[in-house]
Amino acid sequence: MKKVFHIVSHFDVGGAERVAVNIAKSRTEGYEYHVVELIRARSEFSRRFVSELEEAGIQYHRACVPDVHWHYVFERLAAVVFPLWFLPLFLRHRPAVVHSHTEMPDMAVWWFFTLFPGLLRGCKVVRTIHNTRLWTGLKGTGRRVERFFIRHNSNVAISASVRDNYEKEYGQRPPIIYNGVAETPQRRYEGLVKGRINVLFAGRFEPQKGIAALIAIVKRMSYGERFHFHIVGDGSLRADVECELGALQCVTLRPPVNGLAACLSSFDYLLMPSEFEGLSIMSIEASLAGLPVIANRAPGLVDTLPDDWPLMVTGNDLGQYVALFGSLKKRAPGDELGRRAAAFARSKFGIRRMQQAYEAFYEY
């Protein structure tokens, strides 16, 4: 039995975590999948995450360092102490593959094999590059980590944008395996505003997600009674979002919503003003649900939509958003734009295709 250990930052909401679980749900004979947490998350999402792993028969291993949001100190601490508690787990199971996702797990895996290089014999290291920008604030450490992954031929990119940016920065051109995303049965979202065009933003309140642009767009479109914006998420810029948008009549602010992917078809449009992405799972989930995405032409986001997608702006230009929103209409279920988005996503982002591609890479 070939044991594959996926190392993720925490058992919580996140695109990289979703990719790891979707790979681990593979039923290919001869594989046994484990998911390992670097930072111990404690939320409703964490409980649902663990329940999903248990229902799928995937073995999992919880972290010891708590998830405390304080200048990334606890995330870096978790990466540093990771070898101490991972070593007994590694020796007990002797995984054939250790597969890391995102920078802190990447750092933890690098540090583990730096301390115990002999354990690389008989173990393949795989690393999925989930973003177009890496190691913000940690460029020196990042260079050492990247040399390790390049030396061991570990890298896989999730999109052409990720691959091209990685090659430009680090000189290696990794293969691409597109993320696989499952279609979710849909139900009605409670809280829609009748008579309005209901626009959803769902994501982390972080600069990467274009929060400054989001605030500017919503404030500009808050006049009149055409739109209602449902803004779902949390993050370091939460205070900015609440201060700027919380009092607007056309805005509903909510913390992360369990099972939101099952309600996406209820909305008229999804707004994604991201500055950059790796490969946006949210955009793909929306398309699979027939929900058209209003998108900034950002790396890792453009890869999720057809080349001639009409709801795209460049450089988060506010004037382009105003013109685009001026042309929007209330949508009917199953309209042509939604069908087009769904057909594109189904053709490119199938889960079984992703699983088989990674399993081929594990054998390479």
Side-chain angles (χ1 to χ4, degrees):
M1 183 69 69
K2 183 185 290 292
K3 295 184 179 181
V4 179
F5 273 46
H6 286 274
I7 318 297
V8 300
S9 62
H10 45 41
F11 289 180
D12 212 329
V13 61
E17 287 76 9
R18 174 49 44 200
V19 170
V21 172
N22 284 343
I23 298 170
K25 285 183 176 180
S26 172
R27 292 293 179 262
T28 300
E29 187 176 351
Y31 283 91
E32 177 182 297
Y33 284 97
H34 297 238
V35 181
V36 180
E37 181 186 45
L38 181 65
I39 309 156
R40 193 178 186 92
R42 298 180 184 274
S43 70
E44 180 60 30
F45 281 108
S46 304
R47 290 186 284 273
R48 290 186 66 242
F49 193 99
V50 169
S51 294
E52 182 178 357
L53 294 175
E54 291 175 343
E55 290 170 5
I58 300 168
Q59 297 190 49
Y60 62 90
H61 310 277
R62 300 301 309 267
C64 57
V65 176
D67 186 13
V68 178
H69 298 285
W70 191 64
H71 296 288
Y72 301 103
V73 169
F74 280 81
E75 288 90 334
R76 294 171 188 178
L77 174 64
V80 171
V81 304
F82 174 79
L84 300 178
W85 75 268
F86 186 62
L87 179 61
L89 186 64
F90 186 98
L91 294 176
R92 183 163 72 249
H93 290 278
R94 291 288 180 173
V97 178
V98 171
H99 186 162
S100 70
H101 301 263
T102 70
E103 284 103 320
M104 289 302 107
D106 295 342
M107 184 189 296
V109 169
W110 161 74
W111 185 229
F112 177 78
F113 285 115
T114 297
L115 293 178
F116 307 110
L119 297 180
L120 279 167
R121 290 193 294 271
C123 180
K124 182 177 179 64
V125 179
V126 176
R127 181 276 197 103
T128 296
I129 309 170
H130 285 277
N131 225 325
T132 53
R133 301 183 193 177
L134 301 175
W135 305 110
T136 300
L138 285 171
K139 286 295 184 182
T141 300
R143 290 285 176 186
R144 293 192 289 273
V145 176
E146 295 308 329
R147 285 196 292 269
F148 169 81
F149 286 123
I150 291 171
R151 184 167 66 251
H152 292 283
N153 195 32
S154 303
N155 288 322
V156 175
I158 62 172
S159 69
S161 296
V162 167
R163 178 200 62 197
D164 295 345
N165 279 275
Y166 191 86
E167 182 179 23
K168 182 178 179 180
E169 181 75 15
Y170 298 105
Q172 187 201 42
R173 190 174 177 84
I176 297 173
I177 299 177
Y178 288 109
N179 289 343
V181 180
E183 293 191 52
T184 304
Q186 296 292 300
R187 64 176 184 270
R188 183 168 177 78
Y189 180 81
E190 299 299 329
L192 298 177
V193 178
K194 293 182 179 180
R196 302 284 185 93
I197 298 173
N198 288 270
V199 180
L200 171 67
F201 171 90
R204 291 178 289 116
F205 295 163
E206 303 293 344
Q208 172 185 344
K209 299 299 182 180
I211 299 303
L214 171 69
I215 291 170
I217 294 163
V218 174
K219 291 177 72 172
R220 185 68 174 269
M221 304 309 301
S222 63
Y223 304 101
E225 299 183 351
R226 291 189 65 216
F227 298 99
H228 192 87
F229 293 90
H230 303 261
I231 300 177
V232 178
D234 199 358
S236 65
L237 299 179
R238 179 177 61 187
D240 294 355
V241 173
E242 291 176 344
C243 177
E244 296 286 347
L245 304 180
L248 297 180
Q249 294 296 313
C250 67
V251 172
T252 299
L253 297 180
R254 291 193 63 179
V257 175
N258 286 330
L260 183 61
C263 304
L264 293 175
S265 64
S266 297
F267 297 92
D268 292 296
Y269 300 93
L270 173 69
L271 174 59
M272 295 197 69
S274 300
E275 297 289 343
F276 62 95
E277 297 277 352
L279 187 75
S280 173
I281 298 296
M282 188 68 194
S283 175
I284 298 169
E285 287 179 333
S287 290
L288 288 171
L291 174 62
V293 180
I294 302 168
N296 183 36
R297 197 178 302 276
L301 184 51
V302 295
D303 304 78
T304 66
L305 297 163
D307 292 338
D308 57 349
W309 187 244
L311 305 183
M312 194 87 72
V313 305
T314 301
N316 267 337
D317 183 85
L318 183 58
Q320 293 182 35
Y321 278 118
V322 170
L324 195 156
F325 272 83
S327 67
L328 296 181
K329 298 178 180 178
K330 186 75 176 172
R331 294 180 51 250
D335 67 354
E336 189 276 334
L337 197 59
R339 292 197 306 272
R340 180 180 168 196
F344 177 82
R346 290 187 187 109
S347 71
K348 198 168 184 178
F349 304 111
I351 283 186
R352 187 57 184 157
R353 177 185 296 181
M354 175 187 69
Q355 291 170 342
Q356 291 173 330
Y358 272 111
E359 287 166 351
F361 192 77
Y362 297 157
E363 301 290 343
Y364 176 69

